[in-house]
Structure formats: structure tokens, C-alpha cells
mmCIF file of all heavy atoms in Angstrom:
data_model
loop_
_atom_site.group_PDB
_atom_site.id
_atom_site.type_symbol
_atom_site.label_atom_id
_atom_site.label_comp_id
_atom_site.label_asym_id
_atom_site.label_seq_id
_atom_site.Cartn_x
_atom_site.Cartn_y
_atom_site.Cartn_z
ATOM 1 N N MET R 30 0.845 -1.193 0.000
ATOM 2 C CA MET R 30 0.000 0.000 0.000
ATOM 3 C C MET R 30 0.880 1.242 0.000
ATOM 4 O O MET R 30 1.858 1.311 0.731
ATOM 5 C CB MET R 30 -0.909 0.021 1.231
ATOM 6 C CG MET R 30 -1.816 -1.177 1.339
ATOM 7 S SD MET R 30 -2.571 -1.280 2.965
ATOM 8 C CE MET R 30 -4.165 -0.623 2.640
ATOM 9 N N ASP R 31 0.518 2.194 -0.833
ATOM 10 C CA ASP R 31 1.258 3.457 -0.895
ATOM 11 C C ASP R 31 0.280 4.590 -0.629
ATOM 12 O O ASP R 31 -0.719 4.728 -1.342
ATOM 13 C CB ASP R 31 1.897 3.608 -2.278
ATOM 14 C CG ASP R 31 2.737 4.863 -2.399
ATOM 15 O OD1 ASP R 31 3.301 5.301 -1.371
ATOM 16 O OD2 ASP R 31 2.827 5.401 -3.514
ATOM 17 N N VAL R 32 0.546 5.386 0.406
ATOM 18 C CA VAL R 32 -0.345 6.486 0.774
ATOM 19 C C VAL R 32 0.410 7.802 0.664
ATOM 20 O O VAL R 32 1.525 7.935 1.174
ATOM 21 C CB VAL R 32 -0.881 6.313 2.214
ATOM 22 C CG1 VAL R 32 -1.778 7.472 2.602
ATOM 23 C CG2 VAL R 32 -1.626 4.999 2.356
ATOM 24 N N LYS R 33 -0.212 8.771 -0.032
ATOM 25 C CA LYS R 33 0.386 10.092 -0.172
ATOM 26 C C LYS R 33 -0.663 11.160 0.088
ATOM 27 O O LYS R 33 -1.836 11.009 -0.279
ATOM 28 C CB LYS R 33 0.953 10.279 -1.575
ATOM 29 C CG LYS R 33 2.143 9.394 -1.869
ATOM 30 C CD LYS R 33 2.728 9.649 -3.221
ATOM 31 C CE LYS R 33 3.901 8.700 -3.418
ATOM 32 N NZ LYS R 33 4.394 8.667 -4.748
ATOM 33 N N ASP R 34 -0.225 12.249 0.713
ATOM 34 C CA ASP R 34 -1.096 13.402 0.924
ATOM 35 C C ASP R 34 -1.110 14.261 -0.328
ATOM 36 O O ASP R 34 -0.097 14.377 -1.019
ATOM 37 C CB ASP R 34 -0.598 14.263 2.095
ATOM 38 C CG ASP R 34 -0.686 13.541 3.434
ATOM 39 O OD1 ASP R 34 -1.539 12.641 3.558
ATOM 40 O OD2 ASP R 34 0.080 13.886 4.344
ATOM 41 N N ILE R 35 -2.247 14.882 -0.606
ATOM 42 C CA ILE R 35 -2.332 15.862 -1.683
ATOM 43 C C ILE R 35 -2.322 17.231 -1.004
ATOM 44 O O ILE R 35 -3.190 17.525 -0.190
ATOM 45 C CB ILE R 35 -3.633 15.699 -2.505
ATOM 46 C CG1 ILE R 35 -3.673 14.342 -3.173
ATOM 47 C CG2 ILE R 35 -3.740 16.812 -3.538
ATOM 48 C CD1 ILE R 35 -4.945 14.081 -3.944
ATOM 49 N N SER R 36 -1.336 18.040 -1.339
ATOM 50 C CA SER R 36 -1.252 19.357 -0.705
ATOM 51 C C SER R 36 -1.930 20.409 -1.577
ATOM 52 O O SER R 36 -2.092 20.235 -2.777
ATOM 53 C CB SER R 36 0.211 19.736 -0.467
ATOM 54 O OG SER R 36 0.893 19.785 -1.696
ATOM 55 N N GLY R 37 -2.348 21.503 -0.936
ATOM 56 C CA GLY R 37 -2.939 22.624 -1.662
ATOM 57 C C GLY R 37 -4.410 22.461 -2.004
ATOM 58 O O GLY R 37 -4.927 23.201 -2.847
ATOM 59 N N VAL R 38 -5.102 21.521 -1.373
ATOM 60 C CA VAL R 38 -6.527 21.319 -1.664
ATOM 61 C C VAL R 38 -7.330 22.458 -1.050
ATOM 62 O O VAL R 38 -7.239 22.716 0.147
ATOM 63 C CB VAL R 38 -7.018 19.957 -1.112
ATOM 64 C CG1 VAL R 38 -8.517 19.793 -1.320
ATOM 65 C CG2 VAL R 38 -6.255 18.821 -1.745
ATOM 66 N N LYS R 39 -8.117 23.155 -1.881
ATOM 67 C CA LYS R 39 -8.941 24.259 -1.393
ATOM 68 C C LYS R 39 -10.311 23.762 -0.931
ATOM 69 O O LYS R 39 -10.811 24.187 0.099
ATOM 70 C CB LYS R 39 -9.124 25.308 -2.483
ATOM 71 C CG LYS R 39 -7.841 26.031 -2.812
ATOM 72 C CD LYS R 39 -8.073 27.088 -3.842
ATOM 73 C CE LYS R 39 -6.755 27.781 -4.167
ATOM 74 N NZ LYS R 39 -6.923 28.847 -5.116
ATOM 75 N N GLU R 40 -10.922 22.871 -1.742
ATOM 76 C CA GLU R 40 -12.195 22.290 -1.346
ATOM 77 C C GLU R 40 -12.461 21.041 -2.182
ATOM 78 O O GLU R 40 -11.892 20.862 -3.245
ATOM 79 C CB GLU R 40 -13.351 23.284 -1.503
ATOM 80 C CG GLU R 40 -13.712 23.625 -2.920
ATOM 81 C CD GLU R 40 -14.858 24.621 -3.032
ATOM 82 O OE1 GLU R 40 -15.347 25.122 -2.010
ATOM 83 O OE2 GLU R 40 -15.259 24.902 -4.163
ATOM 84 N N VAL R 41 -13.325 20.200 -1.654
ATOM 85 C CA VAL R 41 -13.753 18.996 -2.361
ATOM 86 C C VAL R 41 -15.261 19.098 -2.525
ATOM 87 O O VAL R 41 -15.972 19.423 -1.580
ATOM 88 C CB VAL R 41 -13.382 17.713 -1.567
ATOM 89 C CG1 VAL R 41 -13.967 16.482 -2.229
ATOM 90 C CG2 VAL R 41 -11.878 17.594 -1.434
ATOM 91 N N ILE R 42 -15.739 18.831 -3.743
ATOM 92 C CA ILE R 42 -17.172 18.905 -4.019
ATOM 93 C C ILE R 42 -17.638 17.525 -4.477
ATOM 94 O O ILE R 42 -17.090 16.957 -5.415
ATOM 95 C CB ILE R 42 -17.488 19.948 -5.102
ATOM 96 C CG1 ILE R 42 -17.017 21.327 -4.651
ATOM 97 C CG2 ILE R 42 -18.980 19.957 -5.422
ATOM 98 C CD1 ILE R 42 -17.106 22.383 -5.723
ATOM 99 N N ILE R 43 -18.657 17.013 -3.801
ATOM 100 C CA ILE R 43 -19.278 15.757 -4.195
ATOM 101 C C ILE R 43 -20.662 16.113 -4.724
ATOM 102 O O ILE R 43 -21.507 16.622 -3.988
ATOM 103 C CB ILE R 43 -19.376 14.780 -3.004
ATOM 104 C CG1 ILE R 43 -17.976 14.491 -2.456
ATOM 105 C CG2 ILE R 43 -20.100 13.500 -3.427
ATOM 106 C CD1 ILE R 43 -17.968 13.709 -1.169
ATOM 107 N N ARG R 44 -20.878 15.880 -6.032
ATOM 108 C CA ARG R 44 -22.150 16.237 -6.669
ATOM 109 C C ARG R 44 -23.098 15.050 -6.644
ATOM 110 O O ARG R 44 -22.797 13.992 -7.172
ATOM 111 C CB ARG R 44 -21.918 16.682 -8.103
ATOM 112 C CG ARG R 44 -21.271 18.020 -8.172
ATOM 113 C CD ARG R 44 -21.383 18.647 -9.558
ATOM 114 N NE ARG R 44 -20.827 19.977 -9.496
ATOM 115 C CZ ARG R 44 -19.571 20.283 -9.773
ATOM 116 N NH1 ARG R 44 -18.747 19.337 -10.140
ATOM 117 N NH2 ARG R 44 -19.153 21.522 -9.697
ATOM 118 N N LEU R 45 -24.244 15.263 -6.039
ATOM 119 C CA LEU R 45 -25.308 14.281 -6.028
ATOM 120 C C LEU R 45 -26.398 14.758 -6.981
ATOM 121 O O LEU R 45 -26.280 15.834 -7.566
ATOM 122 C CB LEU R 45 -25.845 14.110 -4.602
ATOM 123 C CG LEU R 45 -24.774 13.737 -3.567
ATOM 124 C CD1 LEU R 45 -25.322 13.874 -2.166
ATOM 125 C CD2 LEU R 45 -24.269 12.345 -3.806
ATOM 126 N N GLU R 46 -27.453 13.995 -7.125
ATOM 127 C CA GLU R 46 -28.487 14.345 -8.094
ATOM 128 C C GLU R 46 -29.153 15.685 -7.792
ATOM 129 O O GLU R 46 -29.388 16.484 -8.688
ATOM 130 C CB GLU R 46 -29.548 13.242 -8.122
ATOM 131 C CG GLU R 46 -30.485 13.350 -9.297
ATOM 132 C CD GLU R 46 -31.333 12.116 -9.436
ATOM 133 O OE1 GLU R 46 -30.780 11.009 -9.438
ATOM 134 O OE2 GLU R 46 -32.556 12.277 -9.556
ATOM 135 N N ASP R 47 -29.445 15.956 -6.521
ATOM 136 C CA ASP R 47 -30.192 17.162 -6.180
ATOM 137 C C ASP R 47 -29.455 18.124 -5.249
ATOM 138 O O ASP R 47 -29.990 19.151 -4.859
ATOM 139 C CB ASP R 47 -31.533 16.779 -5.544
ATOM 140 C CG ASP R 47 -31.336 15.957 -4.272
ATOM 141 O OD1 ASP R 47 -30.235 15.393 -4.083
ATOM 142 O OD2 ASP R 47 -32.282 15.879 -3.464
ATOM 143 N N ARG R 48 -28.212 17.775 -4.888
ATOM 144 C CA ARG R 48 -27.458 18.633 -3.969
ATOM 145 C C ARG R 48 -25.967 18.368 -4.113
ATOM 146 O O ARG R 48 -25.563 17.424 -4.775
ATOM 147 C CB ARG R 48 -27.921 18.432 -2.536
ATOM 148 C CG ARG R 48 -27.618 17.065 -1.974
ATOM 149 C CD ARG R 48 -28.356 16.817 -0.648
ATOM 150 N NE ARG R 48 -27.957 15.603 -0.015
ATOM 151 C CZ ARG R 48 -28.306 14.378 -0.384
ATOM 152 N NH1 ARG R 48 -29.060 14.197 -1.417
ATOM 153 N NH2 ARG R 48 -27.886 13.327 0.297
ATOM 154 N N GLU R 49 -25.182 19.221 -3.480
ATOM 155 C CA GLU R 49 -23.732 19.045 -3.455
ATOM 156 C C GLU R 49 -23.263 19.015 -2.016
ATOM 157 O O GLU R 49 -23.832 19.689 -1.154
ATOM 158 C CB GLU R 49 -23.035 20.210 -4.162
ATOM 159 C CG GLU R 49 -23.258 20.277 -5.634
ATOM 160 C CD GLU R 49 -22.556 21.459 -6.284
ATOM 161 O OE1 GLU R 49 -22.167 22.421 -5.584
ATOM 162 O OE2 GLU R 49 -22.410 21.406 -7.508
ATOM 163 N N LEU R 50 -22.231 18.240 -1.755
ATOM 164 C CA LEU R 50 -21.553 18.271 -0.469
ATOM 165 C C LEU R 50 -20.232 18.978 -0.706
ATOM 166 O O LEU R 50 -19.401 18.508 -1.482
ATOM 167 C CB LEU R 50 -21.312 16.854 0.060
ATOM 168 C CG LEU R 50 -22.558 16.022 0.348
ATOM 169 C CD1 LEU R 50 -22.154 14.614 0.764
ATOM 170 C CD2 LEU R 50 -23.395 16.671 1.427
ATOM 171 N N VAL R 51 -20.051 20.129 -0.062
ATOM 172 C CA VAL R 51 -18.844 20.927 -0.229
ATOM 173 C C VAL R 51 -18.026 20.807 1.053
ATOM 174 O O VAL R 51 -18.527 21.063 2.144
ATOM 175 C CB VAL R 51 -19.188 22.409 -0.514
ATOM 176 C CG1 VAL R 51 -17.918 23.233 -0.670
ATOM 177 C CG2 VAL R 51 -20.064 22.518 -1.755
ATOM 178 N N ILE R 52 -16.767 20.414 0.900
ATOM 179 C CA ILE R 52 -15.870 20.244 2.044
ATOM 180 C C ILE R 52 -14.719 21.228 1.881
ATOM 181 O O ILE R 52 -13.771 20.963 1.139
ATOM 182 C CB ILE R 52 -15.344 18.792 2.136
ATOM 183 C CG1 ILE R 52 -16.516 17.812 2.125
ATOM 184 C CG2 ILE R 52 -14.485 18.617 3.384
ATOM 185 C CD1 ILE R 52 -16.121 16.388 1.900
ATOM 186 N N PRO R 53 -14.831 22.406 2.530
ATOM 187 C CA PRO R 53 -13.753 23.394 2.411
ATOM 188 C C PRO R 53 -12.535 22.975 3.241
ATOM 189 O O PRO R 53 -12.677 22.284 4.249
ATOM 190 C CB PRO R 53 -14.386 24.674 2.958
ATOM 191 C CG PRO R 53 -15.497 24.220 3.837
ATOM 192 C CD PRO R 53 -15.949 22.880 3.326
ATOM 193 N N ASN R 54 -11.366 23.391 2.794
ATOM 194 C CA ASN R 54 -10.108 23.107 3.495
ATOM 195 C C ASN R 54 -9.964 21.622 3.847
ATOM 196 O O ASN R 54 -9.557 21.269 4.949
ATOM 197 C CB ASN R 54 -9.982 23.959 4.765
ATOM 198 C CG ASN R 54 -10.047 25.424 4.454
ATOM 199 O OD1 ASN R 54 -9.466 25.888 3.482
ATOM 200 N ND2 ASN R 54 -10.789 26.176 5.251
ATOM 201 N N ALA R 55 -10.301 20.764 2.913
ATOM 202 C CA ALA R 55 -10.249 19.318 3.151
ATOM 203 C C ALA R 55 -8.818 18.803 3.107
ATOM 204 O O ALA R 55 -7.965 19.350 2.429
ATOM 205 C CB ALA R 55 -11.085 18.597 2.094
ATOM 206 N N GLU R 56 -8.577 17.751 3.866
ATOM 207 C CA GLU R 56 -7.319 17.022 3.783
ATOM 208 C C GLU R 56 -7.599 15.803 2.920
ATOM 209 O O GLU R 56 -8.546 15.054 3.185
ATOM 210 C CB GLU R 56 -6.856 16.584 5.172
ATOM 211 C CG GLU R 56 -6.422 17.728 6.056
ATOM 212 C CD GLU R 56 -5.942 17.241 7.416
ATOM 213 O OE1 GLU R 56 -5.456 16.084 7.512
ATOM 214 O OE2 GLU R 56 -6.056 18.010 8.369
ATOM 215 N N VAL R 57 -6.792 15.598 1.878
ATOM 216 C CA VAL R 57 -7.026 14.503 0.947
ATOM 217 C C VAL R 57 -5.784 13.625 0.850
ATOM 218 O O VAL R 57 -4.675 14.131 0.695
ATOM 219 C CB VAL R 57 -7.409 15.033 -0.455
ATOM 220 C CG1 VAL R 57 -7.686 13.882 -1.415
ATOM 221 C CG2 VAL R 57 -8.617 15.957 -0.380
ATOM 222 N N ASN R 58 -5.997 12.317 0.952
ATOM 223 C CA ASN R 58 -4.930 11.329 0.809
ATOM 224 C C ASN R 58 -5.290 10.380 -0.319
ATOM 225 O O ASN R 58 -6.459 10.069 -0.527
ATOM 226 C CB ASN R 58 -4.771 10.499 2.089
ATOM 227 C CG ASN R 58 -4.491 11.354 3.294
ATOM 228 O OD1 ASN R 58 -3.661 12.240 3.234
ATOM 229 N ND2 ASN R 58 -5.200 11.099 4.373
ATOM 230 N N ILE R 59 -4.274 9.919 -1.033
ATOM 231 C CA ILE R 59 -4.472 8.909 -2.066
ATOM 232 C C ILE R 59 -3.795 7.634 -1.583
ATOM 233 O O ILE R 59 -2.624 7.643 -1.205
ATOM 234 C CB ILE R 59 -3.834 9.312 -3.404
ATOM 235 C CG1 ILE R 59 -4.439 10.593 -3.930
ATOM 236 C CG2 ILE R 59 -4.010 8.201 -4.422
ATOM 237 C CD1 ILE R 59 -3.766 11.074 -5.210
ATOM 238 N N MET R 60 -4.555 6.534 -1.601
ATOM 239 C CA MET R 60 -3.991 5.249 -1.228
ATOM 240 C C MET R 60 -4.019 4.362 -2.473
ATOM 241 O O MET R 60 -5.072 4.173 -3.079
ATOM 242 C CB MET R 60 -4.794 4.593 -0.103
ATOM 243 C CG MET R 60 -4.224 3.263 0.303
ATOM 244 S SD MET R 60 -4.959 2.467 1.766
ATOM 245 C CE MET R 60 -6.607 3.001 1.807
ATOM 246 N N LYS R 61 -2.858 3.858 -2.865
ATOM 247 C CA LYS R 61 -2.753 2.964 -4.018
ATOM 248 C C LYS R 61 -2.529 1.549 -3.516
ATOM 249 O O LYS R 61 -1.566 1.289 -2.808
ATOM 250 C CB LYS R 61 -1.617 3.395 -4.932
ATOM 251 C CG LYS R 61 -1.852 4.735 -5.580
ATOM 252 C CD LYS R 61 -0.713 5.109 -6.501
ATOM 253 C CE LYS R 61 -0.961 6.496 -7.080
ATOM 254 N NZ LYS R 61 0.123 6.919 -7.967
ATOM 255 N N VAL R 62 -3.441 0.666 -3.893
ATOM 256 C CA VAL R 62 -3.355 -0.733 -3.502
ATOM 257 C C VAL R 62 -3.713 -1.584 -4.709
ATOM 258 O O VAL R 62 -4.797 -1.438 -5.272
ATOM 259 C CB VAL R 62 -4.334 -1.068 -2.345
ATOM 260 C CG1 VAL R 62 -4.202 -2.519 -1.943
ATOM 261 C CG2 VAL R 62 -4.114 -0.156 -1.167
ATOM 262 N N MET R 63 -2.803 -2.422 -5.129
ATOM 263 C CA MET R 63 -3.025 -3.359 -6.223
ATOM 264 C C MET R 63 -3.577 -2.669 -7.480
ATOM 265 O O MET R 63 -4.524 -3.120 -8.095
ATOM 266 C CB MET R 63 -3.961 -4.482 -5.780
ATOM 267 C CG MET R 63 -3.371 -5.318 -4.649
ATOM 268 S SD MET R 63 -4.511 -6.485 -3.888
ATOM 269 C CE MET R 63 -4.916 -7.536 -5.246
ATOM 270 N N GLY R 64 -3.006 -1.524 -7.814
ATOM 271 C CA GLY R 64 -3.402 -0.812 -9.027
ATOM 272 C C GLY R 64 -4.645 0.052 -8.888
ATOM 273 O O GLY R 64 -5.033 0.730 -9.830
ATOM 274 N N GLN R 65 -5.291 0.040 -7.764
ATOM 275 C CA GLN R 65 -6.487 0.837 -7.531
ATOM 276 C C GLN R 65 -6.138 2.038 -6.658
ATOM 277 O O GLN R 65 -5.339 1.928 -5.734
ATOM 278 C CB GLN R 65 -7.574 0.016 -6.808
ATOM 279 C CG GLN R 65 -8.114 -1.134 -7.615
ATOM 280 C CD GLN R 65 -8.995 -0.664 -8.753
ATOM 281 O OE1 GLN R 65 -9.750 0.283 -8.619
ATOM 282 N NE2 GLN R 65 -8.863 -1.315 -9.891
ATOM 283 N N GLU R 66 -6.752 3.192 -6.978
ATOM 284 C CA GLU R 66 -6.558 4.388 -6.159
ATOM 285 C C GLU R 66 -7.805 4.645 -5.334
ATOM 286 O O GLU R 66 -8.918 4.608 -5.846
ATOM 287 C CB GLU R 66 -6.290 5.611 -7.043
ATOM 288 C CG GLU R 66 -4.956 5.582 -7.716
ATOM 289 C CD GLU R 66 -4.674 6.854 -8.507
ATOM 290 O OE1 GLU R 66 -5.600 7.670 -8.696
ATOM 291 O OE2 GLU R 66 -3.539 7.016 -8.951
ATOM 292 N N THR R 67 -7.600 4.902 -4.041
ATOM 293 C CA THR R 67 -8.686 5.256 -3.139
ATOM 294 C C THR R 67 -8.365 6.625 -2.551
ATOM 295 O O THR R 67 -7.247 6.854 -2.087
ATOM 296 C CB THR R 67 -8.816 4.219 -2.002
ATOM 297 O OG1 THR R 67 -9.039 2.942 -2.581
ATOM 298 C CG2 THR R 67 -9.970 4.562 -1.080
ATOM 299 N N TYR R 68 -9.342 7.512 -2.595
ATOM 300 C CA TYR R 68 -9.155 8.859 -2.051
ATOM 301 C C TYR R 68 -9.852 8.950 -0.708
ATOM 302 O O TYR R 68 -11.018 8.583 -0.577
ATOM 303 C CB TYR R 68 -9.733 9.905 -3.004
ATOM 304 C CG TYR R 68 -8.964 10.004 -4.301
ATOM 305 C CD1 TYR R 68 -9.185 9.102 -5.341
ATOM 306 C CD2 TYR R 68 -7.998 10.982 -4.478
ATOM 307 C CE1 TYR R 68 -8.470 9.170 -6.522
ATOM 308 C CE2 TYR R 68 -7.278 11.060 -5.659
ATOM 309 C CZ TYR R 68 -7.520 10.154 -6.674
ATOM 310 O OH TYR R 68 -6.817 10.221 -7.839
ATOM 311 N N GLN R 69 -9.123 9.458 0.273
ATOM 312 C CA GLN R 69 -9.693 9.665 1.603
ATOM 313 C C GLN R 69 -9.793 11.165 1.827
ATOM 314 O O GLN R 69 -8.791 11.891 1.715
ATOM 315 C CB GLN R 69 -8.810 9.045 2.682
ATOM 316 C CG GLN R 69 -9.323 9.289 4.079
ATOM 317 C CD GLN R 69 -8.409 8.687 5.133
ATOM 318 O OE1 GLN R 69 -7.613 7.809 4.849
ATOM 319 N NE2 GLN R 69 -8.524 9.174 6.342
ATOM 320 N N VAL R 70 -10.993 11.637 2.126
ATOM 321 C CA VAL R 70 -11.238 13.065 2.332
ATOM 322 C C VAL R 70 -11.630 13.266 3.786
ATOM 323 O O VAL R 70 -12.550 12.624 4.287
ATOM 324 C CB VAL R 70 -12.373 13.577 1.408
ATOM 325 C CG1 VAL R 70 -12.637 15.046 1.653
ATOM 326 C CG2 VAL R 70 -12.031 13.308 -0.049
ATOM 327 N N THR R 71 -10.922 14.180 4.454
ATOM 328 C CA THR R 71 -11.216 14.485 5.843
ATOM 329 C C THR R 71 -11.595 15.959 5.947
ATOM 330 O O THR R 71 -10.885 16.824 5.435
ATOM 331 C CB THR R 71 -9.989 14.216 6.746
ATOM 332 O OG1 THR R 71 -9.558 12.878 6.526
ATOM 333 C CG2 THR R 71 -10.317 14.411 8.201
ATOM 334 N N GLY R 72 -12.720 16.237 6.599
ATOM 335 C CA GLY R 72 -13.170 17.608 6.768
ATOM 336 C C GLY R 72 -14.649 17.629 7.103
ATOM 337 O O GLY R 72 -15.288 16.590 7.236
ATOM 338 N N THR R 73 -15.185 18.825 7.242
ATOM 339 C CA THR R 73 -16.596 19.002 7.567
ATOM 340 C C THR R 73 -17.349 19.429 6.318
ATOM 341 O O THR R 73 -17.031 20.459 5.720
ATOM 342 C CB THR R 73 -16.765 20.067 8.677
ATOM 343 O OG1 THR R 73 -15.985 19.662 9.809
ATOM 344 C CG2 THR R 73 -18.208 20.197 9.097
ATOM 345 N N ALA R 74 -18.364 18.649 5.953
ATOM 346 C CA ALA R 74 -19.128 18.918 4.733
ATOM 347 C C ALA R 74 -20.273 19.884 4.995
ATOM 348 O O ALA R 74 -20.892 19.859 6.051
ATOM 349 C CB ALA R 74 -19.676 17.613 4.166
ATOM 350 N N VAL R 75 -20.527 20.726 4.000
ATOM 351 C CA VAL R 75 -21.672 21.636 4.013
ATOM 352 C C VAL R 75 -22.555 21.231 2.842
ATOM 353 O O VAL R 75 -22.083 21.100 1.715
ATOM 354 C CB VAL R 75 -21.215 23.106 3.848
ATOM 355 C CG1 VAL R 75 -22.405 24.035 3.814
ATOM 356 C CG2 VAL R 75 -20.250 23.484 4.947
ATOM 357 N N GLU R 76 -23.845 21.025 3.110
ATOM 358 C CA GLU R 76 -24.768 20.600 2.060
ATOM 359 C C GLU R 76 -25.337 21.818 1.339
ATOM 360 O O GLU R 76 -25.788 22.769 1.975
ATOM 361 C CB GLU R 76 -25.906 19.789 2.677
ATOM 362 C CG GLU R 76 -26.686 19.003 1.673
ATOM 363 C CD GLU R 76 -27.624 18.020 2.336
ATOM 364 O OE1 GLU R 76 -27.175 17.233 3.190
ATOM 365 O OE2 GLU R 76 -28.808 18.058 1.983
ATOM 366 N N VAL R 77 -25.298 21.787 0.007
ATOM 367 C CA VAL R 77 -25.785 22.897 -0.814
ATOM 368 C C VAL R 77 -26.804 22.339 -1.806
ATOM 369 O O VAL R 77 -26.511 21.373 -2.517
ATOM 370 C CB VAL R 77 -24.618 23.567 -1.589
ATOM 371 C CG1 VAL R 77 -25.122 24.689 -2.467
ATOM 372 C CG2 VAL R 77 -23.557 24.070 -0.623
#
């Protein structure tokens, strides 16, 4: 497993059908395992 932090993230937006989850100042990590990438987002989401 290889885990790396992504620096400089301003916000993460998750778009759903009728709303968005906006996570300002999120901490994001990428974990690579067996050719697959998994993103871990840490922060407080605001629903829009």
C-alpha cells in the first residue's frame, strides 16, 4: 500500500443528483493498492 497526501486542496465537491456536499479546506490522501486508487477526504461537509 502506498499512501500520499495531496497538498494545496482548497475544497472537495461531491455532486449528487439534487445537492452538493462541499468540504472546504479538506485534507485529501491517495492510497494505491493493487493498481487501484482510493481517495480519503477528511473535513466538515456543508450541504448545498
Side-chain angles (χ1 to χ4, degrees):
M30 301 167 100
D31 183 30
V32 179
K33 293 183 181 169
D34 294 334
I35 298 177
S36 61
V38 176
K39 292 182 181 182
E40 69 180 4
V41 174
I42 300 172
I43 301 172
R44 288 196 175 93
L45 304 168
E46 193 169 309
D47 60 341
R48 67 192 187 285
E49 292 179 342
L50 297 176
V51 179
I52 307 167
N54 302 318
E56 291 181 27
V57 181
N58 302 314
I59 299 176
M60 180 173 30
K61 294 181 183 179
V62 181
M63 297 170 62
Q65 295 288 322
E66 290 184 349
T67 302
Y68 292 81
Q69 177 181 340
V70 179
T71 306
T73 304
V75 178
E76 196 169 308
V77 178

